[in-house]
Amino acid sequence: MAHYRITQIDDYEPLIGQETVERIRQKAAKLKGLRVANFNSTYYGSGVAETISSLTLLMNSLGLRTEWRVIQGTADFFSITKKMHNALQGAKINLSSIKKEIFEQVIYENSVRNFLEHDFVIVHDPQPLPLIDHYKKKCPWIWRCHLDLSRPNAETWKYLRRWIDQYDAVILSCKEFAHEMNPPQRVMMPAIDPFTIKNRELSDQEINERLAHYEIPSDLPLVVQISRFDPWKDPNGVVEAFKLARKKIEARLVLLGNFATDDPEGEDIFNSLRACRDERILILTSGDDTALVNALQTRAAVVMQKSLREGFGLTVAEAMWKGTPVIGGNEGGIRYQIKNGVNGFLVSSVAEAAQRIVELLSDKNLRDEMGRKARETVRRSFLLTRYLEQHLDLFDAL
Ligand code: UDP
């Protein structure tokens, strides 16, 4: 019979030390049996799904009873919620009464199908936000917003406030995303699970096999961005920066992207990017092959995450964990992940990104040095245990 196993807190000991493991174990022991429900809107393809998946398992391994429920929605529901997502990050929106009706009705239907007898409810992002309207509140409800709220569209923010204000606490990824609202706001940056196939160490042979499977040649240094096909990830800016850099240096660009079930914009963006393809620019989608993500992040000479808005770049932390220097957009959470010029570079324009690509590709020592510091940054600050402990503290406080 197969031996199934989930990561245990002890597995982290070599990375975070025995004292921290023991402290977390004690905090969790106090909360044994605590029933926590998480709601979000996609079971794969986004950083949110990725972290809920690992965090719920780790909490359960410590004796909490943590569930993960994904709301069901129609195509028009997800088209509307993606517009709201974009509006919360600063885009314009036409918030018609029909859109509001579809949004609110789908969430009501989800509430009819979901029975809650929990000690905590955590609602992730705007899609399931109105759930709180439909339950007799018997426990603390937490809204966990993963978006870059630095410049939200005022009309959308005002519309969503009626639900936000009913929550008992709000968790944001950066202090800059704080806004006026009733619930107390806490800052917690997401974190990565170092034991998944996406993040554990792969052998050279495994990496070669994955790259060969997708016909990604290894003859030139790789510049890689891995992201949902989303305008905020600025894939066009990455292609432009790469084209500028290529005038000075030989390399190959791989843009790998996926489609989350709650993000209908991806298909069009992917199709428009295909026109940029050439022998040096590969635009790929892999159906979420996590070993390929790992292989690319590990083998890349440089990883890009040239986002124009970013709550927190899980891809940034993933690549840094593999000792690969990252060039990130000087936005949102990325500014707390990358210390410019120390463990990577922060950029604010295509020209700057191109210049940093050239700089890193021409200097192996710089890449090695930044990569080493990048991995250490993640070990210290962006492993799942830190995020877990912050949740335990919040449960305890509430
Ligand atoms: N991802 C993936 N395959 C892809 C593109 C992205 O597995 O083709 C993963 C990526 O590795 C990361 C998550 O999706 O774990 C994206 O998280 P991030 O916080 O960077 O961005 P989000 O999509 O949540 O805005």
Side-chain angles (χ1 to χ4, degrees):
M1 204 173 100
H3 290 280
Y4 300 114
R5 169 176 200 281
I6 56 168
T7 300
Q8 304 291 313
I9 192 76
D10 288 336
D11 297 326
Y12 280 89
E13 199 183 304
L15 300 173
I16 60 172
Q18 203 232 328
E19 210 175 293
T20 307
V21 166
E22 202 40 51
R23 189 178 65 237
I24 291 175
R25 203 200 306 281
Q26 280 173 18
K27 287 183 180 179
K30 267 177 76 183
L31 300 167
K32 197 167 174 358
L34 194 84
R35 296 161 305 172
V36 183
N38 284 275
F39 282 94
N40 84 318
S41 58
T42 178
Y43 58 92
Y44 80 94
S46 71
V48 179
E50 185 87 11
T51 29
I52 297 178
S53 170
S54 291
L55 190 59
T56 49
L57 291 177
L58 193 58
M59 281 182 180
N60 285 325
S61 80
L62 283 160
L64 283 78
R65 293 170 60 196
T66 309
E67 284 182 36
W68 175 17
R69 302 189 187 184
V70 178
I71 55 161
Q72 271 76 53
T74 50
D76 49 2
F77 171 81
F78 286 123
S79 155
I80 293 160
T81 55
K82 184 67 203 290
K83 290 190 177 87
M84 282 183 188
H85 166 120
N86 289 342
L88 284 175
Q89 299 207 125
K92 289 206 178 72
I93 189 170
N94 167 19
L95 210 49
S96 63
S97 54
I98 289 204
K99 287 198 185 94
K100 290 178 184 170
E101 188 184 328
I102 293 170
F103 172 59
E104 293 174 28
Q105 173 68 20
V106 167
I107 293 305
Y108 170 63
E109 289 168 9
N110 274 273
S111 79
V112 172
R113 281 189 296 256
N114 277 282
F115 303 94
L116 292 180
E117 280 296 334
H118 292 73
D119 303 307
F120 277 92
V121 179
I122 307 180
V123 171
H124 297 260
D125 284 340
Q127 299 90 339
L129 184 67
L131 276 176
I132 195 162
D133 251 354
H134 307 297
Y135 293 89
K136 198 155 171 259
K137 201 149 148 277
K138 296 190 207 138
C139 70
W141 281 60
I142 299 165
W143 186 46
R144 200 316 172 200
C145 181
H146 298 263
L147 304 182
D148 181 336
L149 287 181
S150 53
R151 289 151 276 189
N153 168 281
E155 185 195 357
T156 308
W157 182 252
K158 185 163 167 250
Y159 170 60
L160 296 177
R161 269 289 293 275
R162 72 195 69 182
W163 297 294
I164 297 171
D165 282 344
Q166 296 180 48
Y167 282 76
D168 298 285
V170 169
I171 307 177
L172 305 167
S173 294
C174 292
K175 65 176 190 307
E176 288 78 3
F177 302 161
H179 285 277
E180 200 197 306
M181 59 177 95
N182 286 350
Q185 300 164 65
R186 287 201 177 206
V187 174
M188 294 186 197
M189 305 205 92
I192 63 160
D193 177 345
F195 300 108
T196 55
I197 291 180
K198 187 178 287 181
N199 290 323
R200 73 182 188 213
E201 202 172 324
L202 295 182
S203 68
D204 275 344
Q205 196 191 339
E206 285 170 322
I207 295 172
N208 291 339
E209 189 275 321
R210 271 305 78 190
L211 298 186
H213 183 82
Y214 289 91
E215 298 178 357
I216 301 169
S218 313
D219 54 336
L220 293 173
L222 295 177
V223 177
V224 170
Q225 176 160 302
I226 299 172
S227 274
R228 276 182 302 112
F229 289 111
D230 172 307
W232 302 112
K233 309 290 184 184
D234 198 17
N236 289 312
V238 174
V239 171
E240 289 312 309
F242 178 76
K243 284 182 178 165
L244 281 179
R246 199 167 78 179
K247 292 182 180 159
K248 299 203 175 139
I249 201 135
E250 293 277 30
R252 183 167 274 113
L253 175 67
V254 180
L255 268 186
L256 175 70
N258 61 350
F259 310 101
T261 53
D262 62 352
D263 182 355
E265 278 187 312
E267 199 79 41
D268 286 349
I269 295 176
F270 176 63
N271 288 332
S272 73
L273 280 166
R274 284 156 78 110
C276 312
R277 278 176 170 170
D278 66 24
E279 187 225 333
R280 294 288 169 82
I281 300 180
L282 310 182
I283 314 282
L284 300 178
T285 172
S286 73
D288 262 22
D289 179 338
T290 53
L292 174 67
V293 171
N294 187 337
L296 281 170
Q297 288 169 336
T298 307
R299 183 60 61 80
V302 177
V303 162
M304 313 279 301
Q305 190 54 59
K306 210 199 143 306
S307 304
L308 303 171
R309 297 282 194 284
E310 194 66 77
F312 178 90
L314 217 56
T315 49
V316 173
E318 290 162 1
M320 289 171 75
W321 178 239
K322 285 138 200 153
T324 305
V326 180
I327 300 174
N330 191 6
E331 289 291 337
I334 300 180
R335 289 176 303 138
Y336 290 90
Q337 302 178 258
I338 297 179
K339 195 152 186 242
N340 189 34
V342 178
N343 58 8
F345 285 116
L346 292 170
V347 295
S348 303
S349 68
V350 165
E352 216 183 329
Q355 187 209 323
R356 294 307 190 188
I357 294 174
V358 174
E359 191 175 337
L360 278 166
L361 288 184
S362 15
D363 188 343
K364 173 146 184 3
N365 286 340
L366 179 65
R367 292 203 301 272
D368 290 348
E369 178 68 11
M370 283 192 160
R372 207 176 43 69
K373 289 181 180 151
R375 182 173 167 95
E376 180 57 12
T377 304
V378 176
R379 191 192 67 74
R380 277 174 193 273
S381 306
F382 299 117
L383 291 181
L384 199 62
T385 35
R386 188 263 306 146
Y387 199 36
L388 165 71
E389 191 171 5
Q390 287 178 308
H391 278 83
L392 298 177
D393 289 342
L394 176 64
F395 297 153
D396 196 37
L398 288 178

